[in-house]
Amino acid sequence: MTIKIHLISAARPNFMKIAPLYHALMKEPWAEPLIVHTGQHYDLNMSDVFFQDLGLPKPDLHLGVGSGTHAEQSGQVMIAYEKVLLESRPDLVIVVGDVNSTMACTIAAVKISYKSAGSKSTPEGQKGALKSPDLDRPCIAHLEAGLRSFDGTMPEEINRLVTDTLADILWTPSPDADDNLMLEGIARQKIKRVGNIMIDSLEMLRSTIEKQTACSEMGLNPGGYGLVTLHRPSNVDDPRIMPTLCHTLIRISQRIPLVFPVHPRTRKNMEALDLMPLLEKADNLLISGPINYIRFMNLIFNCRFALTDSGGLQEETTYLGIPCLTLRPNTERPITIQKGTNRLCVLDDFEKHVDKLLAKKSSHDCKIDLWDGRTAGRVVESIKTYFHLAL
Ligand code: UD1
């Protein structure tokens, strides 16, 4: 008997979360993992190169949704995924992270009824929800559950709240996430702390990452540059903030070289404000398009610090003991602050904090419980427990 599992992948940060799990599930005789790509990210350098780096095959199912407003994108994913669910009838749907597709696939899956779906009724004992005795639909599991910024203006916070409210299994990365879920009244037995799956990808590819020569190819010395990533709407969609942000980066680059791989959303906005020529002219500011996982991680491994608004980068720098300045008023990853590597900043203080960073030697020992490269194994065990009766 096999358990058919949909791994939902959609946007760049999802790919390193599904890869370790896909590889772990492929080793299990009872598991039939299928990769479902919603198409939220579709550019070669936002999607395909990550599949290559992470050793993932082409997606088994592609929804081809693409960009749009929140409602358009989420709605299109729901419409397309509902059809796929009825055709494919997975036993388990695994959603990761907090992007629009995470929420949309969760809503589609939780409202499906296999038995009343009409034409394709599933005979008793056949695949599709029947292995999960109380459900007439797939079981839904959320990997990276429980994170909260408590900032309702973030689209991701809405996605997290909806997903965690509806999912049957909540795999969390840290104790704060367990606490958040329990404070929201989620049953303790649904919550299973498994650790940080992103660290599995990092450890899986560590030796390949370390062999890369990205920074020397760019003429940079290890420990001698800062790495910048910015893509949050709150920073890059506001035409009043963007010019100040760019001028601040240029001034910082006069103290220490900066590498800035630009996200498509950010580039679009900078182009609209005619800011690209200004950045490209700055001597010590290396502007590029999005960079593939292995090369990007090599740049993180060797940077002096990161300036970011990304969630994943706050975690990766903490794990590696690298200072990180996060251009946000809050974070859903408070453990990165507690460990002392990450600091929340406003734009006005950015330069001051860079100067402070550069003035002191920094090296942290940042061990976090269950951030150990073995999270995928714990997820597999949790799935086995959930489907215990049927296995
Ligand atoms: C999305 C996620 C965000 C995540 C980020 C990682 C939501 C609400 N946001 O934000 O949580 O941190 O991904 O990158 O789900 N675009 C391209 N090519 C692509 C993808 C996007 O050009 O392959 C452009 C399009 O103009 C698009 C814009 O980027 O409209 C934004 O893409 P979208 O997926 O809506 O949000 P992100 O900002 O990428």
Side-chain angles (χ1 to χ4, degrees), residues 17 143-144 172-174 194-201 312 315-316 333 369-376 378:
K17 293 171 193 166
L143 181 53
E144 201 187 81
T172 61
S174 45
V194 292
N196 190 328
I197 193 78
M198 298 255 291
I199 305 305
D200 284 33
S201 277
E315 295 179 336
E316 286 154 345
R333 288 148 164 109
D369 191 30
L370 305 184
W371 293 29
D372 56 2
R374 295 202 291 271
T375 290
R378 288 186 283 270

Side-chain angles (χ1 to χ4, degrees), residues 11-13 40-44 46-47 67-68 70 73 98-101 155-156 159 231-233 263-265 268 311:
R12 187 170 59 175
Q40 179 167 344
H41 283 175
Y42 42 84
D43 286 348
L44 194 71
M46 292 293 284
S47 179
S67 301
H70 288 277
Q73 193 173 57
D98 54 18
V99 302
N100 284 343
S101 303
E156 293 82 0
N159 296 339
H231 75 282
R232 295 265 162 227
H263 185 283
R265 173 191 281 277
K268 209 165 76 177

Side-chain angles (χ1 to χ4, degrees), residues 96-219:
V96 299
D98 54 18
V99 302
N100 284 343
S101 303
T102 307
M103 175 189 71
C105 288
T106 302
I107 296 176
V110 81
K111 290 188 157 196
I112 277 287
S113 166
Y114 286 153
K115 283 183 196 139
S116 62
S119 54
K120 290 212 164 189
S121 66
T122 309
E124 206 65 30
Q126 205 179 301
K127 280 176 200 168
L130 297 170
K131 299 184 202 100
S132 180
D134 302 329
L135 298 177
D136 175 29
R137 58 164 175 81
C139 166
I140 302 158
H142 184 203
L143 181 53
E144 201 187 81
L147 299 187
R148 295 289 181 271
S149 64
F150 304 101
D151 178 353
T153 66
M154 282 184 82
E156 293 82 0
E157 184 73 354
I158 311 299
N159 296 339
R160 291 180 205 117
L161 284 164
V162 173
T163 304
D164 286 343
T165 303
L166 301 176
D168 304 294
I169 306 176
L170 297 156
W171 289 314
T172 61
S174 45
D176 55 286
D178 299 12
D179 294 344
N180 291 335
L181 293 171
M182 283 191 286
L183 282 171
E184 287 168 16
I186 302 226
R188 183 72 192 90
Q189 64 269 23
K190 283 186 173 185
I191 305 167
K192 170 83 188 138
R193 194 172 340 137
V194 292
N196 190 328
I197 193 78
M198 298 255 291
I199 305 305
D200 284 33
S201 277
L202 187 156
E203 288 302 339
M204 181 176 88
L205 288 167
R206 182 184 274 277
S207 62
T208 316
I209 292 165
E210 285 172 345
K211 276 186 220 129
Q212 283 281 310
T213 51
C215 77
S216 56
E217 283 166 40
M218 291 179 164

